[in-house]
Amino acid sequence: ERIQYPPWFANSYISFNMGYIDYPFSQAQLEPGFQVASIGIPHTAISLLLGHHFNKNFSAQLSYMRPVQWVNYKDINGLTSRHTVHMNVAGLTARAITPIGGQFSLYAEGGLGIVTRSGFKLKNHDVVKDANYPTVLLGTGLRYRLNNNWDLQTGIAYTPPNESQKQPHILLVSSGVMFNLRPLSAEKVQDNAHDQRTPEASHA
C-alpha cells in the first residue's frame, strides 16, 4: 500500500481533446480506372494523449487521433455504393513548454507519427489502397493551468502529405482538458501514512 505515487508515475498526465480535422481526401486517392460521384469528409475528431512531465519545460507523450466518423466514397464508376476509408494517426513526440505569464504557457512538439489507413476494394480490385507508414508529427498550442491537477489546452497537430501513399496532409485543431498526476503534498503523504497505521493500532 503506497502513500506516494511511484517516481515513474508521478508527474504523468492524460489528456482528452475534440476539434476540427482537415484531411482533403479526393479523387486523387483512387487507383487508375475509378471515378467517384461524391466524397463525404466528416471533420469532427478526437485525440488522446498520455505523457510524462520530466520538468516544467519538457515532456514526452504518446498520442492517438482520428475523425469521429470515417471518410466515405459514394457511387464508384456509376454503381450505387458507399465505401468507408478508416484513418488513424499515432504519435510519439517530445514537447517543449514555455511559460508566458500568469497561468498560461506555450508549447511546441515534434516527433514520430504513424499514419494508418484502411482502404477498400471493388470486385477484388483496389480502389483506395491500405497504407501504413511513418511520418513527421508536429504541433503547437496554448495551455492554461486551472490548478495543480487540471489544465485546459488548445492546439494544432500536423502531418505532411505523402505522395507515394496517395495520402493528403492531416491538420487537427482541438481543445480539451489535461489531468496531471502531481506528487502528493507532504501533508497528504502524512495523512495517508496515518490512515494506514490506524487500522493496525486499532487491531492491537
Side-chain angles (χ1 to χ4, degrees):
E1 297 181 2
R2 295 184 180 274
I3 59 176
Q4 176 63 279
Y5 294 128
W8 55 268
F9 195 57
N11 290 312
S12 295
Y13 61 88
I14 186 169
S15 177
F16 175 77
N17 307 273
M18 291 194 69
Y20 178 92
I21 189 169
D22 178 52
Y23 51 129
F25 274 74
S26 66
Q27 176 73 33
Q29 278 65 59
L30 301 184
E31 293 299 297
F34 294 99
Q35 296 288 327
V36 62
S38 63
I39 305 171
I41 306 178
H43 291 289
T44 303
I46 60 171
S47 70
L48 299 174
L49 310 174
L50 179 62
H52 183 81
H53 299 291
F54 292 95
N55 55 51
K56 67 178 182 179
N57 298 116
F58 179 76
S59 63
Q61 63 188 23
L62 297 170
S63 63
Y64 172 78
M65 63 183 182
R66 53 157 286 185
V68 174
Q69 295 182 306
W70 307 117
V71 172
N72 58 83
Y73 282 77
K74 301 175 183 178
D75 303 341
I76 303 295
N77 287 359
L79 300 174
T80 302
S81 59
R82 180 173 176 171
H83 304 274
T84 56
V85 176
H86 297 193
M87 186 195 68
N88 310 272
V89 183
L92 173 60
T93 55
R95 175 179 286 191
I97 305 159
T98 303
I100 58 173
Q103 303 294 90
F104 289 95
S105 59
L106 290 172
Y107 71 83
E109 63 183 298
L112 174 67
I114 301 293
V115 175
T116 301
R117 185 185 73 212
S118 296
F120 63 93
K121 296 176 181 286
L122 191 62
K123 296 181 179 179
N124 293 322
H125 295 285
D126 285 318
V127 181
V128 175
K129 287 186 174 181
D130 295 346
N132 190 349
Y133 65 91
T135 187
V136 174
L137 177 59
L138 302 173
T140 187
L142 178 68
R143 197 172 74 188
Y144 177 78
R145 183 175 181 179
L146 288 174
N147 53 47
N148 193 47
N149 294 111
W150 289 97
D151 295 337
L152 300 178
Q153 69 174 13
T154 185
I156 299 171
Y158 174 79
T159 64
N162 186 309
E163 294 184 3
S164 66
Q165 300 288 342
K166 296 184 177 182
Q167 175 69 25
H169 73 256
I170 302 168
L171 177 67
L172 174 66
V173 181
S174 64
S175 298
V177 295
M178 175 185 291
F179 179 70
N180 302 282
L181 292 166
R182 303 295 187 187
L184 302 180
S185 65
E187 293 79 7
K188 183 62 175 177
V189 169
Q190 185 175 1
D191 290 342
N192 288 349
H194 175 72
D195 291 342
Q196 289 190 16
R197 288 195 299 267
T198 300
E200 297 177 1
S202 299
H203 180 72

PDB file of all heavy atoms in Angstrom, residues 124-152:
ATOM      1  N   ASN A 124     -12.664  -7.222 -56.122  1.00  0.00           N
ATOM      2  CA  ASN A 124     -11.292  -7.696 -55.863  1.00  0.00           C
ATOM      3  C   ASN A 124     -10.194  -6.791 -56.429  1.00  0.00           C
ATOM      4  O   ASN A 124      -9.043  -7.197 -56.539  1.00  0.00           O
ATOM      5  CB  ASN A 124     -11.099  -9.125 -56.393  1.00  0.00           C
ATOM      6  CG  ASN A 124     -11.928 -10.133 -55.617  1.00  0.00           C
ATOM      7  OD1 ASN A 124     -12.068 -10.018 -54.394  1.00  0.00           O
ATOM      8  ND2 ASN A 124     -12.482 -11.114 -56.328  1.00  0.00           N
ATOM      9  N   HIS A 125     -10.542  -5.574 -56.802  1.00  0.00           N
ATOM     10  CA  HIS A 125      -9.552  -4.615 -57.263  1.00  0.00           C
ATOM     11  C   HIS A 125      -9.451  -3.469 -56.254  1.00  0.00           C
ATOM     12  O   HIS A 125     -10.480  -2.951 -55.790  1.00  0.00           O
ATOM     13  CB  HIS A 125      -9.930  -4.059 -58.643  1.00  0.00           C
ATOM     14  CG  HIS A 125      -9.913  -5.082 -59.737  1.00  0.00           C
ATOM     15  ND1 HIS A 125      -8.746  -5.564 -60.291  1.00  0.00           N
ATOM     16  CD2 HIS A 125     -10.937  -5.714 -60.384  1.00  0.00           C
ATOM     17  CE1 HIS A 125      -9.031  -6.445 -61.231  1.00  0.00           C
ATOM     18  NE2 HIS A 125     -10.357  -6.558 -61.312  1.00  0.00           N
ATOM     19  N   ASP A 126      -8.234  -3.085 -55.922  1.00  0.00           N
ATOM     20  CA  ASP A 126      -8.043  -1.965 -55.004  1.00  0.00           C
ATOM     21  C   ASP A 126      -8.612  -0.691 -55.603  1.00  0.00           C
ATOM     22  O   ASP A 126      -8.293  -0.343 -56.749  1.00  0.00           O
ATOM     23  CB  ASP A 126      -6.550  -1.758 -54.721  1.00  0.00           C
ATOM     24  CG  ASP A 126      -5.996  -2.812 -53.787  1.00  0.00           C
ATOM     25  OD1 ASP A 126      -6.681  -3.155 -52.804  1.00  0.00           O
ATOM     26  OD2 ASP A 126      -4.874  -3.287 -54.036  1.00  0.00           O
ATOM     27  N   VAL A 127      -9.441  -0.019 -54.848  1.00  0.00           N
ATOM     28  CA  VAL A 127      -9.939   1.299 -55.239  1.00  0.00           C
ATOM     29  C   VAL A 127      -9.158   2.374 -54.472  1.00  0.00           C
ATOM     30  O   VAL A 127      -8.587   3.286 -55.063  1.00  0.00           O
ATOM     31  CB  VAL A 127     -11.447   1.424 -54.974  1.00  0.00           C
ATOM     32  CG1 VAL A 127     -11.952   2.809 -55.404  1.00  0.00           C
ATOM     33  CG2 VAL A 127     -12.211   0.325 -55.699  1.00  0.00           C
ATOM     34  N   VAL A 128      -9.134   2.255 -53.151  1.00  0.00           N
ATOM     35  CA  VAL A 128      -8.229   3.031 -52.307  1.00  0.00           C
ATOM     36  C   VAL A 128      -7.372   2.025 -51.546  1.00  0.00           C
ATOM     37  O   VAL A 128      -7.898   1.171 -50.837  1.00  0.00           O
ATOM     38  CB  VAL A 128      -8.997   3.937 -51.310  1.00  0.00           C
ATOM     39  CG1 VAL A 128      -8.014   4.636 -50.364  1.00  0.00           C
ATOM     40  CG2 VAL A 128      -9.841   4.959 -52.053  1.00  0.00           C
ATOM     41  N   LYS A 129      -6.074   2.092 -51.717  1.00  0.00           N
ATOM     42  CA  LYS A 129      -5.186   1.109 -51.103  1.00  0.00           C
ATOM     43  C   LYS A 129      -5.000   1.372 -49.609  1.00  0.00           C
ATOM     44  O   LYS A 129      -5.105   2.500 -49.137  1.00  0.00           O
ATOM     45  CB  LYS A 129      -3.812   1.128 -51.790  1.00  0.00           C
ATOM     46  CG  LYS A 129      -3.806   0.522 -53.179  1.00  0.00           C
ATOM     47  CD  LYS A 129      -2.386   0.442 -53.718  1.00  0.00           C
ATOM     48  CE  LYS A 129      -2.345  -0.285 -55.053  1.00  0.00           C
ATOM     49  NZ  LYS A 129      -0.955  -0.384 -55.580  1.00  0.00           N
ATOM     50  N   ASP A 130      -4.706   0.292 -48.890  1.00  0.00           N
ATOM     51  CA  ASP A 130      -4.301   0.432 -47.492  1.00  0.00           C
ATOM     52  C   ASP A 130      -2.952   1.148 -47.433  1.00  0.00           C
ATOM     53  O   ASP A 130      -2.156   1.089 -48.377  1.00  0.00           O
ATOM     54  CB  ASP A 130      -4.162  -0.938 -46.823  1.00  0.00           C
ATOM     55  CG  ASP A 130      -5.491  -1.676 -46.726  1.00  0.00           C
ATOM     56  OD1 ASP A 130      -6.540  -1.053 -46.930  1.00  0.00           O
ATOM     57  OD2 ASP A 130      -5.454  -2.889 -46.449  1.00  0.00           O
ATOM     58  N   ALA A 131      -2.699   1.813 -46.319  1.00  0.00           N
ATOM     59  CA  ALA A 131      -1.414   2.489 -46.126  1.00  0.00           C
ATOM     60  C   ALA A 131      -1.048   2.435 -44.652  1.00  0.00           C
ATOM     61  O   ALA A 131      -1.910   2.494 -43.773  1.00  0.00           O
ATOM     62  CB  ALA A 131      -1.484   3.943 -46.595  1.00  0.00           C
ATOM     63  N   ASN A 132       0.237   2.297 -44.406  1.00  0.00           N
ATOM     64  CA  ASN A 132       0.761   2.278 -43.032  1.00  0.00           C
ATOM     65  C   ASN A 132       2.207   2.733 -43.108  1.00  0.00           C
ATOM     66  O   ASN A 132       3.064   1.974 -43.556  1.00  0.00           O
ATOM     67  CB  ASN A 132       0.647   0.871 -42.437  1.00  0.00           C
ATOM     68  CG  ASN A 132       0.944   0.851 -40.951  1.00  0.00           C
ATOM     69  OD1 ASN A 132       1.435   1.822 -40.384  1.00  0.00           O
ATOM     70  ND2 ASN A 132       0.669  -0.278 -40.318  1.00  0.00           N
ATOM     71  N   TYR A 133       2.499   3.935 -42.663  1.00  0.00           N
ATOM     72  CA  TYR A 133       3.844   4.471 -42.867  1.00  0.00           C
ATOM     73  C   TYR A 133       4.212   5.473 -41.767  1.00  0.00           C
ATOM     74  O   TYR A 133       3.343   6.112 -41.166  1.00  0.00           O
ATOM     75  CB  TYR A 133       3.933   5.149 -44.234  1.00  0.00           C
ATOM     76  CG  TYR A 133       3.060   6.365 -44.396  1.00  0.00           C
ATOM     77  CD1 TYR A 133       3.540   7.644 -44.088  1.00  0.00           C
ATOM     78  CD2 TYR A 133       1.745   6.249 -44.841  1.00  0.00           C
ATOM     79  CE1 TYR A 133       2.740   8.761 -44.227  1.00  0.00           C
ATOM     80  CE2 TYR A 133       0.932   7.366 -44.984  1.00  0.00           C
ATOM     81  CZ  TYR A 133       1.439   8.614 -44.675  1.00  0.00           C
ATOM     82  OH  TYR A 133       0.636   9.717 -44.806  1.00  0.00           O
ATOM     83  N   PRO A 134       5.505   5.627 -41.502  1.00  0.00           N
ATOM     84  CA  PRO A 134       5.957   6.633 -40.535  1.00  0.00           C
ATOM     85  C   PRO A 134       6.048   8.009 -41.186  1.00  0.00           C
ATOM     86  O   PRO A 134       6.267   8.133 -42.395  1.00  0.00           O
ATOM     87  CB  PRO A 134       7.346   6.130 -40.128  1.00  0.00           C
ATOM     88  CG  PRO A 134       7.829   5.389 -41.339  1.00  0.00           C
ATOM     89  CD  PRO A 134       6.607   4.776 -41.977  1.00  0.00           C
ATOM     90  N   THR A 135       5.881   9.028 -40.373  1.00  0.00           N
ATOM     91  CA  THR A 135       5.948  10.391 -40.881  1.00  0.00           C
ATOM     92  C   THR A 135       6.358  11.328 -39.744  1.00  0.00           C
ATOM     93  O   THR A 135       6.610  10.885 -38.627  1.00  0.00           O
ATOM     94  CB  THR A 135       4.591  10.825 -41.479  1.00  0.00           C
ATOM     95  OG1 THR A 135       4.727  12.096 -42.100  1.00  0.00           O
ATOM     96  CG2 THR A 135       3.514  10.879 -40.411  1.00  0.00           C
ATOM     97  N   VAL A 136       6.397  12.601 -40.035  1.00  0.00           N
ATOM     98  CA  VAL A 136       6.691  13.614 -39.022  1.00  0.00           C
ATOM     99  C   VAL A 136       5.372  14.112 -38.434  1.00  0.00           C
ATOM    100  O   VAL A 136       4.412  14.375 -39.172  1.00  0.00           O
ATOM    101  CB  VAL A 136       7.471  14.795 -39.635  1.00  0.00           C
ATOM    102  CG1 VAL A 136       7.634  15.917 -38.610  1.00  0.00           C
ATOM    103  CG2 VAL A 136       8.830  14.331 -40.140  1.00  0.00           C
ATOM    104  N   LEU A 137       5.324  14.216 -37.122  1.00  0.00           N
ATOM    105  CA  LEU A 137       4.156  14.769 -36.438  1.00  0.00           C
ATOM    106  C   LEU A 137       4.605  16.018 -35.685  1.00  0.00           C
ATOM    107  O   LEU A 137       5.506  15.963 -34.836  1.00  0.00           O
ATOM    108  CB  LEU A 137       3.571  13.750 -35.466  1.00  0.00           C
ATOM    109  CG  LEU A 137       2.380  14.207 -34.612  1.00  0.00           C
ATOM    110  CD1 LEU A 137       1.217  14.652 -35.495  1.00  0.00           C
ATOM    111  CD2 LEU A 137       1.939  13.088 -33.674  1.00  0.00           C
ATOM    112  N   LEU A 138       4.001  17.161 -36.023  1.00  0.00           N
ATOM    113  CA  LEU A 138       4.357  18.445 -35.427  1.00  0.00           C
ATOM    114  C   LEU A 138       3.139  19.054 -34.752  1.00  0.00           C
ATOM    115  O   LEU A 138       1.995  18.772 -35.128  1.00  0.00           O
ATOM    116  CB  LEU A 138       4.883  19.409 -36.497  1.00  0.00           C
ATOM    117  CG  LEU A 138       6.092  18.946 -37.303  1.00  0.00           C
ATOM    118  CD1 LEU A 138       6.369  19.925 -38.434  1.00  0.00           C
ATOM    119  CD2 LEU A 138       7.314  18.778 -36.412  1.00  0.00           C
ATOM    120  N   GLY A 139       3.394  19.921 -33.762  1.00  0.00           N
ATOM    121  CA  GLY A 139       2.274  20.560 -33.090  1.00  0.00           C
ATOM    122  C   GLY A 139       2.698  21.785 -32.308  1.00  0.00           C
ATOM    123  O   GLY A 139       3.877  21.969 -31.991  1.00  0.00           O
ATOM    124  N   THR A 140       1.721  22.606 -31.987  1.00  0.00           N
ATOM    125  CA  THR A 140       1.942  23.769 -31.131  1.00  0.00           C
ATOM    126  C   THR A 140       0.616  24.124 -30.487  1.00  0.00           C
ATOM    127  O   THR A 140      -0.457  23.718 -30.970  1.00  0.00           O
ATOM    128  CB  THR A 140       2.495  24.961 -31.931  1.00  0.00           C
ATOM    129  OG1 THR A 140       2.837  26.016 -31.034  1.00  0.00           O
ATOM    130  CG2 THR A 140       1.471  25.477 -32.933  1.00  0.00           C
ATOM    131  N   GLY A 141       0.680  24.889 -29.376  1.00  0.00           N
ATOM    132  CA  GLY A 141      -0.565  25.237 -28.723  1.00  0.00           C
ATOM    133  C   GLY A 141      -0.375  26.070 -27.476  1.00  0.00           C
ATOM    134  O   GLY A 141       0.735  26.483 -27.131  1.00  0.00           O
ATOM    135  N   LEU A 142      -1.484  26.300 -26.797  1.00  0.00           N
ATOM    136  CA  LEU A 142      -1.542  27.140 -25.606  1.00  0.00           C
ATOM    137  C   LEU A 142      -2.184  26.342 -24.479  1.00  0.00           C
ATOM    138  O   LEU A 142      -3.186  25.632 -24.694  1.00  0.00           O
ATOM    139  CB  LEU A 142      -2.379  28.387 -25.901  1.00  0.00           C
ATOM    140  CG  LEU A 142      -2.597  29.374 -24.756  1.00  0.00           C
ATOM    141  CD1 LEU A 142      -1.281  30.063 -24.398  1.00  0.00           C
ATOM    142  CD2 LEU A 142      -3.656  30.404 -25.149  1.00  0.00           C
ATOM    143  N   ARG A 143      -1.614  26.466 -23.284  1.00  0.00           N
ATOM    144  CA  ARG A 143      -2.119  25.741 -22.125  1.00  0.00           C
ATOM    145  C   ARG A 143      -2.422  26.719 -20.999  1.00  0.00           C
ATOM    146  O   ARG A 143      -1.678  27.683 -20.792  1.00  0.00           O
ATOM    147  CB  ARG A 143      -1.091  24.707 -21.663  1.00  0.00           C
ATOM    148  CG  ARG A 143      -1.657  23.634 -20.742  1.00  0.00           C
ATOM    149  CD  ARG A 143      -0.624  22.559 -20.486  1.00  0.00           C
ATOM    150  NE  ARG A 143       0.420  23.033 -19.581  1.00  0.00           N
ATOM    151  CZ  ARG A 143       1.527  22.351 -19.319  1.00  0.00           C
ATOM    152  NH1 ARG A 143       1.755  21.209 -19.921  1.00  0.00           N
ATOM    153  NH2 ARG A 143       2.424  22.834 -18.480  1.00  0.00           N
ATOM    154  N   TYR A 144      -3.516  26.467 -20.274  1.00  0.00           N
ATOM    155  CA  TYR A 144      -3.896  27.290 -19.131  1.00  0.00           C
ATOM    156  C   TYR A 144      -4.026  26.395 -17.905  1.00  0.00           C
ATOM    157  O   TYR A 144      -4.761  25.402 -17.921  1.00  0.00           O
ATOM    158  CB  TYR A 144      -5.217  27.997 -19.397  1.00  0.00           C
ATOM    159  CG  TYR A 144      -5.701  28.819 -18.220  1.00  0.00           C
ATOM    160  CD1 TYR A 144      -5.150  30.069 -17.954  1.00  0.00           C
ATOM    161  CD2 TYR A 144      -6.694  28.335 -17.376  1.00  0.00           C
ATOM    162  CE1 TYR A 144      -5.577  30.816 -16.871  1.00  0.00           C
ATOM    163  CE2 TYR A 144      -7.130  29.078 -16.293  1.00  0.00           C
ATOM    164  CZ  TYR A 144      -6.568  30.321 -16.043  1.00  0.00           C
ATOM    165  OH  TYR A 144      -6.984  31.057 -14.962  1.00  0.00           O
ATOM    166  N   ARG A 145      -3.323  26.735 -16.838  1.00  0.00           N
ATOM    167  CA  ARG A 145      -3.334  25.924 -15.622  1.00  0.00           C
ATOM    168  C   ARG A 145      -4.498  26.336 -14.730  1.00  0.00           C
ATOM    169  O   ARG A 145      -4.550  27.454 -14.211  1.00  0.00           O
ATOM    170  CB  ARG A 145      -2.010  26.096 -14.869  1.00  0.00           C
ATOM    171  CG  ARG A 145      -1.915  25.217 -13.628  1.00  0.00           C
ATOM    172  CD  ARG A 145      -0.544  25.330 -12.993  1.00  0.00           C
ATOM    173  NE  ARG A 145      -0.445  24.478 -11.815  1.00  0.00           N
ATOM    174  CZ  ARG A 145       0.650  24.358 -11.070  1.00  0.00           C
ATOM    175  NH1 ARG A 145       1.748  25.036 -11.408  1.00  0.00           N
ATOM    176  NH2 ARG A 145       0.653  23.579 -10.015  1.00  0.00           N
ATOM    177  N   LEU A 146      -5.437  25.429 -14.535  1.00  0.00           N
ATOM    178  CA  LEU A 146      -6.565  25.685 -13.650  1.00  0.00           C
ATOM    179  C   LEU A 146      -6.174  25.543 -12.187  1.00  0.00           C
ATOM    180  O   LEU A 146      -6.511  26.367 -11.345  1.00  0.00           O
ATOM    181  CB  LEU A 146      -7.721  24.731 -13.966  1.00  0.00           C
ATOM    182  CG  LEU A 146      -8.493  24.981 -15.261  1.00  0.00           C
ATOM    183  CD1 LEU A 146      -9.493  23.860 -15.480  1.00  0.00           C
ATOM    184  CD2 LEU A 146      -9.200  26.318 -15.216  1.00  0.00           C
ATOM    185  N   ASN A 147      -5.471  24.447 -11.882  1.00  0.00           N
ATOM    186  CA  ASN A 147      -4.984  24.176 -10.526  1.00  0.00           C
ATOM    187  C   ASN A 147      -3.839  23.179 -10.630  1.00  0.00           C
ATOM    188  O   ASN A 147      -3.328  22.930 -11.726  1.00  0.00           O
ATOM    189  CB  ASN A 147      -6.117  23.664  -9.618  1.00  0.00           C
ATOM    190  CG  ASN A 147      -6.842  22.467 -10.221  1.00  0.00           C
ATOM    191  OD1 ASN A 147      -6.222  21.526 -10.696  1.00  0.00           O
ATOM    192  ND2 ASN A 147      -8.168  22.521 -10.205  1.00  0.00           N
ATOM    193  N   ASN A 148      -3.462  22.580  -9.518  1.00  0.00           N
ATOM    194  CA  ASN A 148      -2.300  21.700  -9.515  1.00  0.00           C
ATOM    195  C   ASN A 148      -2.496  20.461 -10.377  1.00  0.00           C
ATOM    196  O   ASN A 148      -1.520  19.881 -10.861  1.00  0.00           O
ATOM    197  CB  ASN A 148      -1.974  21.272  -8.078  1.00  0.00           C
ATOM    198  CG  ASN A 148      -0.605  20.631  -7.961  1.00  0.00           C
ATOM    199  OD1 ASN A 148       0.380  21.155  -8.495  1.00  0.00           O
ATOM    200  ND2 ASN A 148      -0.530  19.500  -7.275  1.00  0.00           N
ATOM    201  N   ASN A 149      -3.740  20.057 -10.597  1.00  0.00           N
ATOM    202  CA  ASN A 149      -4.006  18.815 -11.315  1.00  0.00           C
ATOM    203  C   ASN A 149      -4.631  18.998 -12.699  1.00  0.00           C
ATOM    204  O   ASN A 149      -4.477  18.133 -13.555  1.00  0.00           O
ATOM    205  CB  ASN A 149      -4.910  17.889 -10.493  1.00  0.00           C
ATOM    206  CG  ASN A 149      -4.254  17.393  -9.229  1.00  0.00           C
ATOM    207  OD1 ASN A 149      -4.628  17.761  -8.127  1.00  0.00           O
ATOM    208  ND2 ASN A 149      -3.233  16.554  -9.376  1.00  0.00           N
ATOM    209  N   TRP A 150      -5.327  20.094 -12.923  1.00  0.00           N
ATOM    210  CA  TRP A 150      -6.091  20.238 -14.160  1.00  0.00           C
ATOM    211  C   TRP A 150      -5.585  21.414 -14.995  1.00  0.00           C
ATOM    212  O   TRP A 150      -5.335  22.494 -14.474  1.00  0.00           O
ATOM    213  CB  TRP A 150      -7.569  20.442 -13.852  1.00  0.00           C
ATOM    214  CG  TRP A 150      -8.237  19.224 -13.327  1.00  0.00           C
ATOM    215  CD1 TRP A 150      -8.473  18.913 -12.011  1.00  0.00           C
ATOM    216  CD2 TRP A 150      -8.781  18.146 -14.094  1.00  0.00           C
ATOM    217  NE1 TRP A 150      -9.112  17.699 -11.914  1.00  0.00           N
ATOM    218  CE2 TRP A 150      -9.313  17.206 -13.173  1.00  0.00           C
ATOM    219  CE3 TRP A 150      -8.846  17.872 -15.455  1.00  0.00           C
ATOM    220  CZ2 TRP A 150      -9.918  16.028 -13.579  1.00  0.00           C
ATOM    221  CZ3 TRP A 150      -9.455  16.687 -15.872  1.00  0.00           C
ATOM    222  CH2 TRP A 150      -9.988  15.788 -14.945  1.00  0.00           C
ATOM    223  N   ASP A 151      -5.447  21.163 -16.307  1.00  0.00           N
ATOM    224  CA  ASP A 151      -5.106  22.187 -17.288  1.00  0.00           C
ATOM    225  C   ASP A 151      -6.148  22.183 -18.402  1.00  0.00           C
ATOM    226  O   ASP A 151      -6.754  21.145 -18.706  1.00  0.00           O
ATOM    227  CB  ASP A 151      -3.740  21.922 -17.925  1.00  0.00           C
ATOM    228  CG  ASP A 151      -2.590  22.013 -16.945  1.00  0.00           C
ATOM    229  OD1 ASP A 151      -2.751  22.680 -15.907  1.00  0.00           O
ATOM    230  OD2 ASP A 151      -1.538  21.407 -17.227  1.00  0.00           O
ATOM    231  N   LEU A 152      -6.331  23.341 -19.016  1.00  0.00           N
ATOM    232  CA  LEU A 152      -7.036  23.452 -20.288  1.00  0.00           C
ATOM    233  C   LEU A 152      -6.006  23.703 -21.377  1.00  0.00           C
ATOM    234  O   LEU A 152      -5.013  24.402 -21.140  1.00  0.00           O
ATOM    235  CB  LEU A 152      -8.040  24.603 -20.260  1.00  0.00           C
ATOM    236  CG  LEU A 152      -9.148  24.541 -19.212  1.00  0.00           C
ATOM    237  CD1 LEU A 152     -10.010  25.790 -19.290  1.00  0.00           C
ATOM    238  CD2 LEU A 152      -9.992  23.291 -19.388  1.00  0.00           C
TER     239      LEU A 152
END
